[in-house]
Amino acid sequence: MQFQYLGTAAAEGWPAVFCRCKYCLEAQRLGGKNIRTRSQAIVNDDLLLDLPPDTYMHKLMNNLDLSRVKYLFVTHFHMDHFYPQELTVRGSVYSLEMISPELEIYCAQETYDYFRRCADWEIDEKSDSAMHWHILKPFETVEAGPYRVTPLPANHMNPSHQPFVYHIVDTREDKSVFYMHDSGYYFPEVWDYLKAQKKPADLFSFDTTLGYEDCGFKSTHMGAPEVIRLKEELEALGIIDKHTHCVMNHFSHNGHLLYDELVELAAPHDIEISYDLSLIHISEPTRRV
């Protein structure tokens, strides 16, 4: 199983689009792993997590063939995770000779409704008919080809808008990923789900939007100090073990920590730091991020 972070920033990107704070200026000066686009990830080459406005940039940066994507799981409809107009140019005369002409899209009802409000006037019938929408409910596992995916309710935004985080299992290799963006401290029923797992996760991706801040688990995002404590809780429950890739991801310039500073903070706790296009081969025991 292969997992790749395509974008690793919060909504504004880093450097932020219109910002001149010292953290954005320093990231731009340093470049490399300090340049972060909006959050997105891909499992193998056919399951895409979120569709931000930087999707086209991710295709160019990594020479991706996004026509291979068969399954799209959307966490929620905030603009840095879902840019619905991108789907209006998938198919018809806009996208020819695709590997996978049909696309299965999984999301909450509210996210689907948002797509209709934004894109109905623009999308043509042929493109629309090639997209098959699946409305998810919390804790109701779905089968997407070889993947078994369980949507878990995220502690983020208005609960009536039903944001999700995802537990993804590649059934061919029995490898599992918890992709936990965007969310603050998990709801009790999510903890019940985690405790019921039969084996440790192979990858656990933590929301670390707040960087150096510690909000005492009272925000709808988390910072590095909270992630460190949360990892210890998960280890005590056996959800994480020494073989689990534990990764901080989804960073904001308001968190103030550049890549090397994050690495220095996280390394003593055996936590990895994502960067744009970082790749993890979950089948291999060696850490790759």
Side-chain angles (χ1 to χ4, degrees), residues 10-237:
E12 64 277 12
W14 195 348
V17 181
F18 301 107
C19 186
R20 282 185 51 82
C21 76
K22 66 179 183 179
Y23 304 102
C24 284
L25 293 177
E26 184 66 359
Q28 191 157 342
R29 183 186 72 82
L30 291 171
K33 295 174 183 178
N34 296 289
I35 303 298
R36 299 183 182 276
T37 55
R38 267 67 73 94
S39 181
Q40 188 176 38
I42 190 167
V43 178
N44 298 319
D45 61 358
D46 57 357
L47 189 154
L48 195 63
L49 288 159
D50 284 336
L51 192 75
D54 294 331
T55 298
Y56 183 52
M57 177 62 72
H58 298 159
K59 169 189 170 73
L60 297 179
M61 290 167 62
N62 205 36
N63 195 28
L64 288 175
D65 182 357
L66 292 179
S67 84
R68 293 181 177 277
V69 172
K70 298 178 182 179
Y71 318 104
L72 169 62
F73 283 81
V74 182
T75 56
H76 61 300
F77 63 73
H78 279 168
M79 72 88 181
D80 55 320
H81 292 262
F82 189 47
Y83 175 56
Q85 286 86 347
E86 198 73 80
L87 293 173
T88 67
V89 292
R90 189 191 185 280
S92 187
V93 299
Y94 303 104
S95 305
L96 307 175
E97 300 182 26
M98 291 190 290
I99 301 296
S100 178
E102 308 293 311
L103 179 65
E104 310 295 327
I105 306 175
Y106 301 81
C107 64
Q109 180 68 52
E110 293 79 7
T111 302
Y112 173 75
D113 294 342
Y114 178 68
F115 170 79
R116 289 297 169 201
R117 291 197 302 272
C118 293
D120 250 5
W121 65 275
E122 193 171 6
I123 192 167
D124 63 70
E125 184 177 350
K126 186 175 181 180
S127 298
D128 203 6
S129 66
M131 294 184 291
H132 311 289
W133 296 82
H134 305 267
I135 304 304
L136 300 175
K137 300 291 185 182
F139 303 106
E140 292 186 5
T141 301
V142 296
E143 303 287 337
Y147 305 103
R148 188 169 63 247
V149 183
T150 305
L152 308 174
N155 181 4
H156 186 66
M157 64 194 284
N158 187 329
S160 67
H161 295 162
Q162 195 50 83
F164 287 127
V165 292
Y166 290 114
H167 180 206
I168 303 162
V169 179
D170 187 335
T171 60
R172 294 164 297 190
E173 303 179 48
D174 194 27
K175 299 295 182 182
S176 67
V177 169
F178 281 94
Y179 190 73
M180 309 298 275
H181 313 283
D182 299 6
S183 185
Y185 195 72
Y186 312 137
F187 293 125
E189 56 269 32
V190 174
W191 278 106
D192 290 340
Y193 176 89
L194 293 169
K195 293 172 185 177
Q197 297 309 299
K198 304 297 184 185
K199 62 188 288 286
D202 296 287
L203 187 154
F204 207 104
S205 191
F206 295 92
D207 184 290
T208 322
T209 307
L210 304 179
Y212 78 99
E213 289 192 48
D214 186 345
C215 292
F217 295 123
K218 295 180 180 178
S219 173
T220 56
H221 285 291
M222 286 187 274
E226 293 160 296
V227 168
I228 291 166
R229 297 201 301 274
L230 179 58
K231 177 178 180 279
E232 293 172 352
E233 289 187 60
L234 294 167
E235 285 174 327
L237 293 172

Side-chain angles (χ1 to χ4, degrees), residues 2-17:
Q2 179 175 289
F3 185 93
Q4 186 168 29
Y5 292 96
L6 302 178
T8 57
E12 64 277 12
W14 195 348
V17 181

